[in-house]
Amino acid sequence: MNKLCLFVAAMCCFGAAHAQEDPKESCDGIVKLYNDGDVDGALEEARWCVEALEQIKQAKEGDLFAADIAGWKRQSIEQNKAMGVALTEARYTKGGQTITVSLMGGAGGGDMGFLGGLAQMGMMSAGNKIRVGKHTGVASSEGGTSTVMVSLDSGGTLSFASSDAEMNSVVEFAKAFPVAEIDESRS
């Protein structure tokens, strides 16, 4: 199952290029192109409109990854999208330890389709169930890495992983993280 997660994460790297267009530009042009009889052009503008709006939504989700959570300081944040899957990843450090937080879900919020659903089922099937706020999580340790996976009501998944922090530190961090706010922002 870890190979499937790595595959999805690797595919997100192919989506690193971002459209830098204001959605108003492409969204406003759709009706004009359609009225001019250019249905193909209108469809292309509609695709750009959706792309730009999804990027705005993903950027807002990234804003919820606070700079400081329970004494852990955010060092970096990256956002990518490919094949309809959006990935936001942030690294937090405290006392020489690192926890990596990954939010994976459909590009416009919501679920990740068949492949993402398969990955989510596999990730949530092993380990000890825990409560992270009002959400269900699974804490597991494999190959020296402590991981907490949290299934979001909006269809995405938040993961917290560390190869140098103890499991109890990862669980405490996950419980302090704004899981509910991120889930609400994706609805």
Side-chain angles (χ1 to χ4, degrees):
M1 190 49 61
N2 286 338
K3 290 180 184 177
L4 180 60
C5 295
L6 290 173
F7 169 76
V8 171
M11 291 310 296
C12 287
C13 293
F14 291 115
H18 297 288
Q20 297 297 318
E21 189 170 319
D22 179 0
K24 186 162 177 44
E25 254 179 70
S26 54
C27 297
D28 284 350
I30 297 168
V31 174
K32 181 184 180 328
L33 288 167
Y34 175 76
N35 287 338
D36 291 346
D38 186 359
V39 174
D40 290 336
L43 283 170
E44 182 61 25
E45 284 302 300
R47 287 182 194 100
W48 278 108
C49 176
V50 169
E51 174 71 25
L53 291 170
E54 286 176 345
Q55 287 181 17
I56 290 169
K57 185 171 182 168
Q58 187 178 15
K60 286 182 180 181
E61 287 172 358
D63 292 343
L64 294 173
F65 283 64
D68 185 299
I69 295 176
W72 291 81
K73 308 287 185 215
R74 188 184 71 220
Q75 301 301 311
S76 64
I77 187 164
E78 296 177 25
Q79 295 178 297
N80 294 297
K81 184 184 83 154
M83 297 172 40
V85 177
L87 175 69
T88 300
E89 186 173 273
R91 285 181 183 72
Y92 290 83
T93 59
K94 178 180 176 182
Q97 298 177 330
T98 301
I99 294 177
T100 301
V101 182
S102 301
L103 169 63
M104 188 168 60
D111 70 24
M112 301 172 280
F114 176 74
L115 181 63
L118 202 65
Q120 189 175 24
M121 282 189 332
M123 292 183 285
M124 299 299 282
S125 66
N128 298 316
K129 283 190 175 184
I130 62 171
R131 293 295 289 166
V132 179
K134 294 183 178 181
H135 294 81
T136 300
V138 174
S140 63
S141 225
E142 183 180 325
T145 300
S146 299
T147 305
V148 173
M149 302 293 299
V150 179
S151 179
L152 301 177
D153 295 336
S154 61
T157 302
L158 263 172
S159 70
F160 305 85
S162 180
S163 58
D164 50 22
E166 298 285 328
M167 177 59 80
N168 62 343
S169 295
V170 178
V171 169
E172 287 174 19
F173 179 85
K175 289 182 176 183
F177 201 79
V179 174
E181 290 87 346
I182 288 175
D183 199 11
E184 287 174 20
S185 78
R186 300 177 52 75
S187 300

